[in-house]
Amino acid sequence: MTTPDHPSPASPPPAPAAKDRIYRSPLGLAGGVLLLLVVLWLGFDALVKGDGRTPWLALAGMILIVPLVVAFTLRPAVFAGEDRLRVRNPFRVITLPWGEVATLRSGYSNEVVAKSGTKYQLWAVPVSLRARKKAARRQQRAAADAARGVTPGSRGGALGPSGLGLGGFSLRGPDTGPTRAETDQVMDDLRELLERQGEAESAQGEVTVRWAYEVAAPAVAGAVLLGILLAVG
């Protein structure tokens, strides 16, 4: 048996899997860090300088409060991949293949609805009514300018009718802000992924829910310890 003079070309390496898009709340992260700094500063100050039961109360309070602050501010995140949506909420991690997602709903909160009818809130994508109102005002201004044939950001010399400069130019500075609230844009991106991947074979499966005992257990232990100290004292 003879071997060929030239070996067959190696098969190309498989394409790397696309990374998940990660959505988190910047304000939640900043607020969580500040809260943790305050809680730890006050707690350690009471541990070092307190007397009697104060250090024990401070310790129990920190064991209770720190996990809760982490759970509600630093922990929430949404991971959107090509095959699944993973929602990390304060006390649960929900994994939904796109084939099991019925819809993504926005109201006073953002939710994902499974085909079973179960709703899961997206803690990491909070709704900002103020941002929605600002974006709506920008949309209205852009529509009004387009109806008048005004170029966005153009300026005039003197004031003319309807707040325009002579020659029909707007005296307002350029309004380059987004016409969609940031979290609404995130939901649009997730809906686009759902529409594209919902029928894909690789995006089928079952919804799984895992409870975050690593967060809940310390908080429960802190609450029990604090309750015992208050009852005894």
Side-chain angles (χ1 to χ4, degrees):
M1 183 175 180
T2 59
T3 57
D5 295 336
H6 301 286
S8 59
S11 58
K19 292 184 177 180
D20 290 354
R21 305 179 192 179
I22 304 175
Y23 301 99
R24 308 185 77 169
S25 171
L27 289 178
L29 294 173
V33 170
L34 289 176
L35 279 174
L36 283 177
L37 290 176
V38 171
V39 170
L40 293 176
W41 172 49
L42 294 175
F44 281 109
D45 184 69
L47 282 174
V48 173
K49 299 180 181 179
D51 53 6
R53 293 189 310 132
T54 300
W56 289 102
L57 289 171
L59 178 62
M62 285 194 295
I63 295 174
L64 169 63
I65 295 173
V66 169
L68 294 179
V69 171
V70 172
F72 285 96
T73 60
L74 305 184
R75 177 179 168 80
V78 172
F79 303 86
E82 293 296 314
D83 299 329
R84 63 180 183 170
L85 179 69
R86 187 159 61 95
V87 181
R88 193 171 70 190
N89 281 345
F91 299 108
R92 294 190 297 178
V93 177
I94 305 104
T95 302
L96 303 102
W98 288 116
E100 289 297 316
V101 176
T103 186
L104 289 147
R105 184 184 303 168
S106 293
Y108 290 104
S109 64
N110 290 316
E111 300 171 335
V112 55
V113 183
K115 288 185 175 179
S116 63
T118 308
K119 296 181 290 186
Y120 303 100
Q121 186 174 347
L122 305 181
W123 281 81
V125 190
V127 169
S128 171
L129 297 180
R130 181 170 177 268
R132 280 183 177 175
K133 290 178 181 178
K134 290 177 64 176
R137 287 197 295 268
R138 290 194 184 99
Q139 287 179 338
Q140 292 172 356
R141 286 199 295 264
D145 288 345
R148 293 195 299 262
V150 177
T151 303
S154 57
R155 296 175 182 270
L159 185 64
S162 302
L164 299 178
L166 296 180
F169 294 104
S170 173
L171 291 178
R172 271 199 317 268
D175 189 359
T176 58
T179 56
R180 290 282 284 165
E182 184 178 358
T183 54
D184 289 340
Q185 183 60 55
V186 169
M187 295 299 287
D188 290 342
D189 294 342
L190 295 178
R191 291 188 186 101
E192 181 185 348
L193 263 175
L194 171 61
E195 183 178 354
R196 189 174 73 241
Q197 295 295 118
E199 301 299 327
E201 183 178 354
S202 60
Q204 308 305 313
E206 296 182 356
V207 178
T208 61
V209 179
R210 182 182 69 83
W211 288 93
Y213 296 107
E214 67 276 11
V215 175
V220 171
V224 171
L225 179 58
L226 186 61
I228 293 173
L229 290 172
L230 292 175
V232 171

